[in-house]
Structure formats: C-alpha cells, structure tokens
Amino acid sequence: MSNNGNPTPNTLEGGSHQAAPAPSRPYWIGIGLMVIGAVWLVNAYGLPQGARYAAVGPGLFVTISGAALLVLGAVLVLQIWRGESFQPQDAEDAVADAKMDKRAFLTALVAVAVPVATMGPLGMPFTATLSFVLVANAFGSRRWWLDLICGAILACASWFLFSQLGLQLGRFFPPLGF
Amino acid sequence: MDTLGLLLQGFGVALQPVNLMWALVGSVLGTAIGILPGIGPALTIALLLPVTTALAPTSAFIMFAGILYGAMYGGSTTSILLNTPGEAGSMMTALEGNKMARAGRGAAALATAAIGSFVAGTFATLALTFAAPFVAELAFYFKPTDYFAITALAFCSVAVVMGASRTRGFISLFLGIAIGVIGIDAMTGQPRLTFGNMQLLRGIALTVVLVSLFAVGEILYVASRYRSVPGVMAPVKGKLWMTREDFARSWKPWLRGTAIGFPMGALPGSGSEIPTMLSYTLERKLSKHPEQFGKGAIEGVAGPEATNNAAAAGILVPLLTLGLPTSATAAVLLAAFQNYGLQPGPFLFTSNPALIWGLIASLYVGNVMLLVLNLPLVGIWVQLLRIPRPQLYAGILVFAMIGVWGLAGSWVDLAIMFVVGLAGYVMRVYDFPIAPVLIGLILGPMAENQLRTALAAGQGNPMVLVSTPLSAILLTIAVLLLALPIFLKRLRAHA
C-alpha cells in the first residue's frame, strides 16, 4: 500500500492559510473556455448562418455555442475574481480535500496517453497490458510483475472475446504480423 | 390492442429463455457495478454498446434495463455497509443505513433497501406501463416546434438544477453542445469544426465522450487523491429478515418514495439526488421517531431507496415516448437505440411493439430476479469489495480503451479520450457537473434539427417557435427557470 492517502494536510504550498483543496483562483479555466468559444466563433464565421429555404443555416448552432462559451468563460473569470469557491467532488476511494498526488496523477495520465502512440503499431493487447501496469502503479501497487501477468491475461482474454463478438480491435501483435 | 394485451405480448417476449438469460446477465452485471466503485450504469452500458453488433435489439435492451435497475440495488449495499455511496442517489441511504449497520442492524437495513427497491421498481414499472402509451399517443400530435421547446426546457432545467452553480451547469451544457456540432452537418452536408481532419467528419461519438468523462476522468481524479486505507466495512449482523415493526415503519416510506421518484425521474435534470433528498426530508417530518434520524432510522433507508429505483423507471418515460434523455444513462440508452437505427418516440410503439413491450415486461421480471439476487445473496456480493483497487481501476481503463478503440480503430478517438478525460479530471476538481455535457451532446443536434425544421416550415418567421400552446408554455417555463432565481435573489436583497 502506498502512503499517499495520508489525511494530514501538507501545507508546502498555501502559505499560512489552511490547506486549500484546490487553487482558490483558477482563472485559467475561464480563459480556456473563452479560447474554445473564440475558436468556435471563428469557425462559424466561415459557415453560412442562413440557408435558402430554412432561415437557419449550419453556422447558427456553432455561433451560439461559441458565443455562449465566450460569455460564460468571462462570467466565470468574474466570479473567480469575486471569490467563488471550488470544492472538489466526492468520489468513492478518494479523499476530496486531500492534497494532489502529482506522481500518481502523472503516471495515470501517461497510461491514458500511451494508447494514442502504441495502439496502432503495437496492437491492443500490448497497449492494454502497459496501461494496466501503469494505472496499478499509480494506485500504489508495487508488484509490477504480478500486474504485468494480470494485465496481459485481461488484455488477451478481452481481445479474443470482443473480437469474437465482432468488434474490430485490430491484429493481436502487428510487429510480428499476426 | 389495449395496454394489458400488449403487456401480455411483451411477457411472451421477455419470458423466452434467451431473453430471460440476458435479463439475468444484466441484473448480475448491474448489481456488481452498483457495488464496485468507479463505474456506474451509464458507463457500463456505454462499454457494452459494441455488443449491439452481435445481439438482437430486444435482447440487448433487456440486458441494459437489468443493468439500469441492478445498479440501483447494488448501490445501496456499499452505502449501508461501507458508508460510501457510489452515486448521488445513494447518499441519503448511507446517512441512516450505515448507522443501522454499525448498530448491528445491517441485515434489516439491506432488507428494507432491497424490498423497497422491489416495491418501488414494480409500482414504477406499472406506472410506466400505463403512462408511456398515453404520452406516446399525445406525442403523435407534437410538431417540430414542440420538440424544440421540449429540448430547450430540458437544457435549462439540466443546467440550472445540476451542479454547484448555474454558471458551471451552463458551461457543462454548452461544452456538450459545442462538441455536438463537430462533424458533417446532417442537413446541408457542410463540414463543421473538423480542422481538416477526415476522421472528425463523422463527429465525436457519445461513447468516446462518456467513457472519457466517466471512466478516464474518474481514474485520474481518484489516482490523484487516492484513499489507500480502505473504508471499514460494517458486518452484516442481525436477523436477515425485518421484524414486524420494521415492516410497519417501512411500507409507507416505500410507497411515498415511489410517488416522489417516478414523476421526478421523468423530469429532465432532477436526476436521483433531488428526489431522494426530498424523500428523506419528508420521512423525517412524518416519522413518529424523528429523534432516531441521524442515528439509524429505518424510514430514512426505506424512503430514499424506493425513490431511487422509482426514478430509474421514470427516466424511461420521456426516453421511450419522446426520445428525450433526461440523465446520462438515458443518453447512452438513446445511443444504443441509434446503433440499431431505431429512434425512440411514439412511432416506435407502433413500428416495433415487440421491442418496447418486451423491454417493459422485462423490467417486471428483472425486479423479481434482483430481489432474489440481492436479499439472500448479499453476503456473496460484498466479496466483490475485496478486489484490490489498483487492479480494479487498471481494469476499468482497459475496458474503456477497448470501448473507444473498438468504435472505429482510430487514434483520433484515443487522442480525444485523453483530452476529454483530462477535462473530466478538471471538472471533478473544480466541481463542474458532468451529466449536462452528455445531455448537451446528444440533445444539441436534436434541438438544432427541430429548430431548423420548424423555422423552415414557418418560412423563417421566429414566431413559429411559440405558435402552438405547448411550445409557448414550455418556452415560458424555460425562461422562468432561468429568471426566477435571479428575481428571487433581487427581491430578497431589497427586503
């Protein structure tokens, strides 16, 4: 078991205040939403807003969603500036107000990113096994060889089963051509 | 043919051995996922969507319905024994149920939850049986403008009711709508927001977004704040059956819970959190033993549990009769219908009665199966909690990536899984509601289609949107939903 579930607040960041569950002023979320809204609006500009018979063309909903995200992003920035609080959600197996375990988070993130690069060239069973080992490690398992065996069995069995069901999961291990 | 005749025909379908087997598979899977953390009914059905290529639609929907109902049964077990409600609807059950378990009355708490779920599930299915054909009949007269008004109302209520603030609710909703416009426009064939990528022409599938938000987002979030010390499980103690007094104190909350849960489940946005809270508050007010609330009152388990299950049946009314999903699970069920090229709505009742009535009949059958599975076998189910968390979450990611990769074998989908999964993590950390994204994604294109059809019929005159009494009323309610809280706030400030 890992020691990352320690409930004692670690106040390395946060100064003299009580350990905050999340940065108190996440302006970047509002700005990010405004950027998404702007991208959608720019794209909508190139689309017809009206159509010959219908009054509404394919651009209208793109415009509406872009404008809404732009405005809502700005409203969120304003709310954050006025001191809006953000409380992490409750989840089973998680302590909402615990400090973020960056190593565990990044390991799990790598496990999610790995398939983008390896799924095509190395196949689904290999990729799934690798991700399995990484996630188990992120959750504190240190018996990597056991995770490797468990992951490989699960990945191979599900590749076989789902392929039988008619799902196109690609070849078993493409580098060897089968 | 009258409703009873159609229902009997439905039982003829549901009781076929192959369909009974799928109902059992669904009930077992549903109970298991209700107990296991990290996965809910919406995600499970989304991961099982590929089976639609191999299964007949009736069998698939009978299995999905078993999962929907089973998850509600299973969720109560962890709430009572571990004090960890897997989903919002089980929060109230945990409040009293876990106190009962700690006081050595765990068996009675599990029994009132299971029997309450059965009673509510059965009565709510009965209500569904008679309400659904009636609503479907009405829906025949609905025009595109009415459908647009219904979706607009659904948007407003989902965004206003779900989540910590209206701003965050609307942000989630519009993110969903923004994702929904990606791909080829169905009416004009024009590519939208594809950024020159051929694979984005077909749009972003609901399964990819759902799996990424629910499974990947959850894995990243729990990993970053993992409680490696497991919760303390209360042993299943006490007589396995309820006492006469327990029954006397439970049956009214079961019925009241059904009456609250069913209609509220049918409304967009109310989910299971609000009705269960309402039921809990009502039971505390009506109880002859209000002093026991907070210390293990059986009414506080019986009422919310019944409400929870009745709400699960309630979501099927707008889904089957109007094709309108009011929760994340309903959105995935709609996607499953679309996989078969079927569109839920009034026409499905006439074009495919065997499917609709077989599905409704299977809900009765599934409820009986679930009672048998949950009441005497609860000791076996809790063994599932022994699965080590590292391997459990790793397994969830494996199934998530199979679900995404299996859709089209495209690395673009996997890249979207990464980005949307990361967004799911951020949404959990900063408390943005997740369900409105899915509602926006699935209802956005529907609203757009109805709006454009309505305006085309009205030759571009926007007044056509309020040209029928129903559309005018629904749009007025939608505006009121938005404006009323602001108005009340101002009124209070002036008072």
Side-chain angles (χ1 to χ4, degrees), chain A residues 1-5 21-23 26 28-29 33 36 39-40 43 46-48 53-62 64-65 68-69 72 75-76 79 84-96 98-101 104-105 108-109 111-113 115-116 119-120 124 127-128 131-132 135-136 138-139 141 147 150 154-155 158 162 165-170, chain B residues 35-38 47 50-51 53-54 78 84-87 148 165 167-168 170-171 174-175 177-179 181-182 185 188 190-193 195 216 218-228 230 389-391 393-395 397-399 401-402 405-407 409 411 414-415 417-418 422 425-434 444 447-448 451-452 455-456 459-460:
Chain A
M1 285 286 175
S2 74
N3 59 357
N4 50 20
W28 63 272
I29 301 179
L33 287 167
I36 298 173
V39 171
W40 257 241
N43 266 273
L47 290 166
Y53 300 111
V56 178
L60 184 81
F61 259 58
V62 184
I64 292 175
S65 51
L69 286 175
L72 287 165
V75 171
L76 191 70
Q79 286 184 342
E84 174 98 345
S85 65
F86 294 88
Q87 186 67 34
Q89 290 175 7
D90 281 322
E92 276 182 83
D93 295 330
V95 185
K99 192 173 177 292
M100 179 189 180
D101 182 341
F105 170 75
L109 195 63
V112 182
V116 183
M119 194 68 99
M124 182 256 147
T127 307
S131 290
F132 187 96
V135 173
F139 278 83
S141 171
D147 294 331
C150 287
L154 181 70
S158 28
F162 282 103
L165 276 173
L167 209 59
Q168 298 294 322
L169 291 174
Chain B
I35 288 173
L36 291 173
L47 291 177
V51 302
T53 52
T78 44
T84 51
E87 28 113 33
F148 173 70
S165 77
T167 310
R168 281 180 251 177
F170 271 109
I171 287 172
F174 276 104
L175 278 174
I177 297 176
I179 298 172
V181 296
I182 295 173
D185 172 42
T188 59
Q190 190 118 19
R192 300 192 292 191
L193 286 141
F195 306 101
V216 178
E218 180 90 354
I219 290 166
L220 294 175
Y221 180 66
V222 178
S224 72
R225 286 155 176 80
Y226 180 47
R227 175 176 48 201
S228 56
R389 293 298 185 263
Q391 285 74 21
Y393 283 97
L397 181 64
V398 169
F399 284 110
M401 72 172 70
I402 290 174
W405 179 246
L407 274 179
W411 70 268
L414 291 168
M417 177 177 92
F418 176 81
L422 200 57
Y425 166 79
V426 173
M427 291 175 83
R428 279 171 175 80
V429 174
Y430 296 98
D431 201 8
F432 285 80
I434 288 168
E448 183 180 17
L451 175 70
R452 287 162 75 176
L455 283 175
Q459 292 176 329

Side-chain angles (χ1 to χ4, degrees), chain B residues 13-288:
Chain B
V13 175
L15 291 174
Q16 286 168 8
V18 65
N19 289 334
L20 275 177
M21 184 200 64
W22 287 116
L24 183 67
V25 170
S27 304
V28 170
L29 260 177
T31 310
I33 56 140
I35 288 173
L36 291 173
I39 26 180
L43 179 62
T44 311
I45 298 171
L47 291 177
L48 285 171
L49 280 182
V51 302
T52 52
T53 52
L55 275 186
T58 315
S59 302
F61 283 107
I62 284 177
M63 177 172 70
F64 293 157
I67 293 172
L68 173 69
Y69 271 25
M72 302 297 150
Y73 276 76
S76 60
T77 308
T78 44
S79 304
I80 291 168
L81 296 179
L82 260 172
N83 199 17
T84 51
E87 28 113 33
S90 302
M91 254 157 52
M92 293 295 135
T93 310
L95 221 58
E96 298 299 326
N98 189 250
K99 292 270 163 48
M100 282 181 74
R102 281 173 195 279
R105 300 195 2 90
L110 287 169
T112 195
I115 302 171
S117 297
F118 172 75
V119 171
T122 307
F123 276 111
T125 309
L126 210 60
L128 168 75
T129 308
F130 291 98
F134 175 70
V135 181
E137 197 78 31
L138 277 182
F140 267 118
Y141 301 102
F142 288 4
K143 293 180 172 158
T145 167
D146 297 318
Y147 275 108
F148 173 70
I150 290 171
T151 47
L153 177 61
F155 285 154
C156 288
S157 52
V158 161
V160 169
V161 176
M162 288 180 172
S165 77
R166 271 182 305 159
T167 310
R168 281 180 251 177
F170 271 109
I171 287 172
S172 293
L173 177 74
F174 276 104
L175 278 174
I177 297 176
I179 298 172
V181 296
I182 295 173
I184 282 194
D185 172 42
M187 289 179 109
T188 59
Q190 190 118 19
R192 300 192 292 191
L193 286 141
T194 53
F195 306 101
N197 188 314
M198 294 297 281
Q199 300 193 49
L200 281 179
L201 284 174
R202 61 189 161 86
I204 296 179
L206 174 77
T207 311
V208 177
V209 178
L210 188 129
V211 165
S212 313
L213 282 179
F214 276 91
V216 178
E218 180 90 354
I219 290 166
L220 294 175
Y221 180 66
V222 178
S224 72
R225 286 155 176 80
Y226 180 47
R227 175 176 48 201
S228 56
V229 183
V232 184
M233 191 157 82
V236 187
K237 278 199 293 196
K239 272 188 4 181
L240 201 66
W241 199 244
M242 298 157 67
T243 61
R244 188 185 286 266
E245 196 207 341
D246 289 337
F247 258 112
R249 287 176 61 177
S250 290
W251 71 271
K252 280 183 191 162
W254 291 339
L255 296 182
R256 280 194 288 261
T258 312
I260 294 172
F262 181 74
M264 288 196 76
L267 292 175
S270 62
S272 53
E273 195 176 354
I274 296 169
T276 47
M277 274 170 71
L278 207 67
S279 160
Y280 182 82
T281 317
L282 183 73
E283 293 312 327
R284 193 168 52 188
K285 281 225 165 105
L286 294 177
S287 172
K288 286 178 187 154

